[in-house]
Amino acid sequence: QSQTVFPFPPPIVPRRLYRSICPPHIYFYSRMKTSAAAILAIVAASANGASAFVAPRAAPASSALSMSSSVDDKTEVREYFNTEGFSRWNKIYSDSDEVNSVQLDIRNGHDQTIQKILNWIEADGDIKGKTVCDCGCGVGSLAIPLAQMGAKISASDISDSMAGEAAARAKALGIRNAKFYTSDLESVTGKYNTVTCVDVAIHYPTEKMAEMVGHLCSLSNDRVLVSFAPKTWYYSLLKKVGELFPGPSKTTRAYLHEEQVVRDALKKAGFEVTREEMTGTNFYFSRLLEAKKV
């Protein structure tokens, strides 16, 4: 298994820029404390969309508090991406010039992840006429180009604003082979050739990650594509330090995930990792795995 090398030291970002963005993905804020050291901060949340969160199927007998926390997460994500989060991220995931340099970097990072997926699928050359379920579709960054490649798309997002924007963009492009609707991930049903869940797992509680991956696999006949913010000692440290420097903007909670947990969940569901990628810019980090049914 390949090891991911993370850049160090990370860039030093002015506080005003750090505060001007709200999280999806991983963003660093740093200012010099002395000439030899910097204090780093990290905030995170979803990037591609807002529907990575799934409420637990049942409350564990000994964890009413955990259930309450999960429900709060889900409500928080839905409300955020239906209000100020939608406005901010709709600009980031568009050609709008109303973004600062940090937001532009995040846009570029997300675009790189999407392009890597499209390159894989184009190289395979067999997506036309196949069914694709995009969970956490956001504004359609992945679903729309896949539809243009001839796939039959079923895309959902927990945010009605996000799903509505994706549908509007698809309609403006004359796309008829894609449907967009509002749903949390757990409520998505059906069987599809390919299931995708890109840059949304950061909203999903750590203890529920394996269950979420298992649900994605249950929807797929052939292939699953999932990305997540990887949990390493480096990112975990930055996240802890970042909690000491909260910005004024409303945000959602962020969760990093151990890659082995994701791989084990895929294997348990009968899928084998066939391709992998790591995208890292100054302010965006995302681990991408493709797994096929064995």
Side-chain angles (χ1 to χ4, degrees):
Q1 182 176 329
S2 61
Q3 296 296 315
T4 302
V5 179
F6 302 102
F8 189 86
I12 298 174
V13 182
R15 190 178 184 86
R16 60 186 176 80
L17 287 184
Y18 164 75
R19 286 187 169 184
S20 70
I21 62 171
C22 92
H25 287 320
I26 297 182
Y27 319 120
F28 299 108
Y29 153 73
S30 173
R31 60 193 177 106
M32 295 303 293
K33 185 80 172 179
T34 68
S35 60
I39 296 178
L40 305 176
I42 179 179
V43 288
S46 155
N48 188 38
S51 70
F53 189 88
V54 180
R57 284 192 171 85
S62 61
S63 62
L65 181 59
S66 174
M67 174 67 172
S68 174
S69 175
S70 295
V71 171
D72 289 345
D73 271 335
K74 184 177 179 181
T75 301
E76 189 177 74
V77 169
R78 179 189 292 112
E79 291 180 351
Y80 173 72
F81 282 97
N82 273 326
T83 53
E84 64 179 278
F86 168 72
S87 177
R88 181 173 289 116
W89 289 94
N90 189 34
K91 290 178 181 177
I92 293 175
Y93 297 140
S94 70
D95 295 325
S96 173
D97 293 328
E98 298 179 37
V99 292
N100 58 42
S101 59
V102 177
Q103 293 168 330
L104 180 60
D105 182 87
I106 295 162
R107 176 192 291 172
N108 291 338
H110 177 70
D111 286 349
Q112 288 179 38
T113 294
I114 295 299
Q115 192 57 53
K116 287 172 181 177
I117 295 173
L118 296 177
N119 289 345
W120 283 350
I121 291 176
E122 185 176 9
D124 292 342
D126 61 353
I127 197 65
K128 188 173 182 179
K130 297 291 183 64
T131 55
V132 175
C133 175
D134 189 17
C135 296
C137 66
V139 297
S141 302
L142 177 61
I144 289 174
L146 286 179
Q148 291 174 320
M149 293 171 71
K152 299 176 182 178
I153 305 295
S154 177
S156 62
D157 200 284
I158 198 172
S159 163
D160 186 62
S161 296
M162 286 286 187
E165 174 65 19
R169 292 187 184 192
K171 183 178 180 180
L173 293 171
I175 292 173
R176 296 184 178 181
N177 53 318
K179 70 171 183 176
F180 299 87
Y181 63 101
T182 305
S183 175
D184 63 31
L185 192 152
E186 185 185 46
S187 300
V188 176
T189 59
K191 282 289 186 179
Y192 308 87
N193 297 118
T194 295
V195 174
T196 61
C197 187
V198 179
D199 289 352
V200 292
I202 201 162
H203 295 304
Y204 207 88
T206 304
E207 67 274 12
K208 290 294 179 181
M209 184 62 177
E211 182 180 350
M212 184 269 272
V213 173
H215 181 64
L216 292 174
C217 292
S218 74
L219 301 171
S220 175
N221 288 323
D222 304 317
R223 170 173 54 187
V224 170
L225 289 153
V226 59
S227 73
F228 54 95
K231 184 177 182 179
T232 66
W233 68 266
Y234 179 64
Y235 288 159
S236 296
L237 175 62
L238 291 175
K239 185 174 186 293
K240 292 229 178 251
V241 176
E243 290 168 356
L244 302 175
F245 297 88
S249 300
K250 176 179 172 62
T251 64
T252 59
R253 274 168 282 201
Y255 300 94
L256 309 182
H257 300 291
E258 294 181 4
E259 182 171 334
Q260 195 58 49
V261 171
V262 180
R263 286 176 175 269
D264 288 346
L266 289 168
K267 184 176 181 180
K268 183 179 179 180
F271 285 74
E272 180 180 12
V273 174
T274 51
R275 286 183 283 204
E276 56 191 87
E277 274 283 0
M278 178 72 196
T279 302
T281 65
N282 290 334
F283 304 99
Y284 172 101
F285 297 91
S286 183
R287 184 66 160 157
L288 172 66
L289 301 178
E290 176 198 64
K292 292 186 178 181
K293 200 165 190 176
V294 293

